[in-house]
Amino acid sequence: MLAGGGFRMVAGVPESRRFAVDVSMLFVASIASVMVGFVIVVVMGRYLGPGDLGLYRMTSTVYGIIMLGASMGLPAAVTKYTAEQRGDRTAVNLYVSTGILLSLVVGICLTLLMAVFPELVSNLFNMPGLADLLRVLSPVYPFALVGGVLLGLFNGIREMKYYALSVVIQSGVMAVVTLGLIVAGAGVAGAVIGIASSWVASTLYLLLMGRQFFSFTLEGFVPTTKSLMRFGFQMLTAGAVNDINNELDVLFVGFFLTSTDVGLYAVAVMVSRFFGLIPLSVQKITYAATSSHWQENNHTALHEMIDKSMKYCSVLLLLGGLCVTFFAYPIIIGLFGGEFQAAILPLQILLAGMVIRGGIGTSVGGSIAAIGRPDLSMWVNTVMLVINGSLNLVLIPPFGITGAALATFVSLVGGAVLYVGLLVKHLYFKVDYRWLGKIYGLAFICFVIFTMGATVADATLVGIIILLIFAIIIYSQLLSSEDKNLFKDLIHSIV
């Protein structure tokens, strides 16, 4: 902390090293969060069946969409302004205090609305029991909204250890409460109570830790509200369209098909979204770092960060994506049982889209907004939404959940290509097309060889050999000495 009350980066720590440490902390926390969700889905799928799992998934989807509008884009706005003004403690106080007060008011109103009138939402779907679950979940909104603003603070001032620990606390509470209540016979309601309880615990921790970084004040509330809402609304529209797009396939499956189909598709979605962990962790850092680099007119550092983020995420995602694609059958059947076999093909299709989008798009997905152009991100997300929605309408009736996966794949890849074009045009970034072409082309060749080889030899052995060759080629041919050293730093940070 500076003498005047602001914040500064840790002296003597290279930016690349700090970047690796921040990403590793968020990645570990994200792993904990997703593993908890994974265990909950496995337990519910095994003991409650795909019907109840689908009801839980629809409840969490509706909750997520409500949170989109309720957040008003405040977490992203707080991150941007605190990153830019972290040397001014007074400015940080104003932005964080205003964000908390606005979130608290909106959260209380939502709690009352969903406790009394959950049918306003549940009647859109033919799922008995959805209204009761939405009512059980209603107390979560004030805690989740305030918690989001506080996470924005810690992201903006690059205090990622507090951010990461709050995610771990949230995951731990969710695991204990959810699994305990399911074992006690509470069923789906127990899992929903787990969501609410986890946010209560996480937000209380964030408030406790946040006291050393800001002081609550109402001074300048009106002008600060205007600044936050102006940028927040732009981020809200861009983020809302993106998040709705992420859930659109589930909503259409719920609309056209049954809760059992939602449960099957939820398994494919959940496993594929493991591959969003790394790029989303990277994005939280690149968003704040882009804002700082752009403010300082340091384009060299900005371009290097974007280039490395794309390449490193592509390497990790392709390795993991090929592994899960090759061994999808034993993974799904082993974890969930034979009744979930229909989820395998949608999973493989979704994986391809998640890997491409994550590698070249998601990892730097906040950079356009960070330079003050969230409208461009919204444009990309809107195009993706139109593509996804149109294809879901056409493909789900004849092809079921496989059609939903195909629609999402096309949307993800199309959005990634459009976003790279924006980076080139507005951040003057030079894409290393040759390197990206090599690694993604090599991955496609590996997939084709596996598909052919698995028909004449043991699929497991063929998959292991191909993965080893793929990893060796990447390490020896596509990574520089600097890249190898940074990967080692990242691994050591995680360990």
Side-chain angles (χ1 to χ4, degrees):
M1 189 174 292
L2 298 172
F7 309 93
R8 64 184 173 197
M9 307 300 284
V10 179
V13 179
E15 176 62 20
S16 60
R17 171 67 178 173
R18 180 177 176 81
F19 185 90
V21 171
D22 286 347
V23 169
S24 65
M25 285 192 292
L26 288 178
F27 178 64
V28 171
S30 298
I31 284 287
S33 176
V34 173
M35 286 304 299
V36 167
F38 183 74
V39 170
I40 289 172
V41 168
V42 171
V43 170
M44 293 184 69
R46 280 283 189 179
Y47 297 102
L48 301 180
D52 281 345
L53 176 58
L55 190 57
Y56 171 74
R57 185 68 176 83
M58 186 57 66
T59 303
S60 61
T61 298
V62 170
Y63 156 71
I65 291 175
I66 291 174
M67 283 292 296
L68 292 179
S71 71
M72 300 177 288
L74 291 177
V78 168
T79 295
K80 174 180 171 58
Y81 289 124
T82 53
E84 294 176 350
Q85 305 291 333
R86 62 172 177 259
D88 185 350
R89 175 66 178 257
T90 301
V92 171
N93 292 342
L94 289 175
Y95 288 122
V96 178
S97 300
T98 302
I100 288 176
L101 185 58
L102 292 172
S103 297
L104 189 60
V105 171
V106 173
I108 292 172
C109 292
L110 267 177
T111 292
L112 295 175
L113 180 65
M114 295 308 297
V116 179
F117 303 112
E119 293 83 6
L120 292 174
V121 176
S122 65
N123 286 344
L124 297 173
F125 305 94
N126 185 25
M127 291 190 180
L130 182 58
D132 291 336
L133 293 177
L134 293 174
R135 185 176 285 112
V136 169
L137 188 59
S138 62
V140 75
Y141 294 103
F143 295 97
L145 292 172
V146 171
V149 169
L150 292 170
L151 288 172
L153 163 66
F154 288 120
N155 192 7
I157 63 176
R158 297 287 293 274
E159 291 288 345
M160 305 313 293
K161 59 181 179 293
Y162 298 108
Y163 190 117
L165 188 54
S166 74
V167 175
V168 172
I169 290 173
Q170 184 177 16
S171 302
V173 172
M174 181 181 290
V176 172
V177 174
T178 300
L179 297 178
L181 290 176
I182 289 178
V183 170
V188 185
V192 172
I193 293 173
I195 295 175
S197 301
S198 67
W199 266 115
V200 172
S202 175
T203 302
L204 292 177
Y205 165 78
L206 289 169
L207 284 169
L208 183 63
M209 295 298 103
R211 293 185 305 169
Q212 60 186 304
F213 299 106
F214 83 99
S215 301
F216 190 82
T217 178
L218 292 179
E219 182 182 352
F221 176 77
V222 174
T224 307
T225 297
K226 291 179 180 178
S227 296
L228 285 175
M229 294 297 290
R230 187 181 304 113
F231 185 79
F233 179 74
Q234 291 179 305
M235 291 300 296
L236 169 64
T237 50
V241 173
N242 179 60
D243 288 342
I244 290 173
N245 187 45
N246 289 339
E247 301 295 339
L248 195 62
D249 47 355
V250 176
L251 292 173
F252 272 113
V253 170
F255 182 80
F256 283 113
L257 306 176
T258 67
S259 62
T260 298
D261 292 306
V262 174
L264 292 170
Y265 192 68
V267 167
V269 170
M270 180 202 65
V271 175
S272 69
R273 287 186 181 173
F274 266 106
F275 293 84
L277 288 179
I278 294 176
L280 285 174
S281 297
V282 172
Q283 184 189 110
K284 286 183 173 65
I285 310 303
T286 57
Y287 174 68
T290 298
S291 184
S292 296
H293 290 322
W294 192 259
Q295 181 97 350
E296 298 162 359
N297 202 30
N298 190 352
H299 288 189
T300 300
L302 175 60
H303 293 169
E304 182 179 5
M305 178 192 69
I306 294 174
D307 180 67
K308 298 300 184 185
S309 298
M310 280 187 175
K311 290 179 177 178
Y312 297 162
C313 284
S314 293
V315 169
L316 295 174
L317 293 177
L318 285 170
L319 280 168
L322 286 175
C323 181
V324 176
T325 298
F326 292 168
F327 308 121
Y329 185 87
I331 289 173
I332 295 299
I333 301 303
L335 288 173
F336 298 96
E339 60 183 334
F340 283 87
Q341 183 173 348
I344 294 174
L345 181 57
L347 166 61
Q348 293 171 322
I349 295 170
L350 289 172
L351 275 175
M354 287 294 291
V355 167
I356 297 172
R357 170 74 169 170
I360 65 175
T362 305
S363 57
V364 291
S367 292
I368 292 293
I371 66 170
R373 295 300 306 272
D375 56 306
L376 296 175
S377 298
M378 183 182 67
W379 174 77
V380 172
N381 294 335
T382 301
V383 173
M384 291 176 63
L385 183 68
V386 172
I387 293 173
N388 200 8
S390 301
L391 291 178
N392 269 298
L393 285 171
V394 172
L395 296 177
I396 288 179
F399 300 112
I401 60 176
T402 300
L406 287 169
T408 302
F409 167 80
V410 175
S411 172
L412 290 171
V413 175
V417 172
L418 289 174
Y419 195 84
V420 170
L422 292 180
L423 292 175
V424 172
K425 181 177 180 179
H426 295 279
L427 273 72
Y428 318 114
F429 173 65
K430 294 183 179 179
V431 181
D432 192 346
Y433 293 110
R434 184 178 180 182
W435 190 95
L436 292 174
K438 284 181 180 179
I439 193 169
Y440 282 95
L442 178 62
F444 179 73
I445 292 172
C446 287
F447 174 74
V448 172
I449 293 174
F450 171 80
T451 303
M452 297 173 61
T455 62
V456 296
D458 180 72
T460 300
L461 180 60
V462 172
I464 292 174
I465 292 173
I466 292 175
L467 284 172
L468 287 173
I469 294 174
F470 182 67
I472 291 171
I473 293 175
I474 289 176
Y475 189 82
S476 61
Q477 302 297 321
L478 295 178
L479 294 181
S480 65
S481 298
E482 180 188 357
D483 296 333
K484 295 172 184 177
N485 290 332
L486 192 55
F487 264 111
K488 291 176 183 177
D489 280 346
L490 183 59
I491 294 170
H492 290 158
S493 299
I494 294 175
V495 175

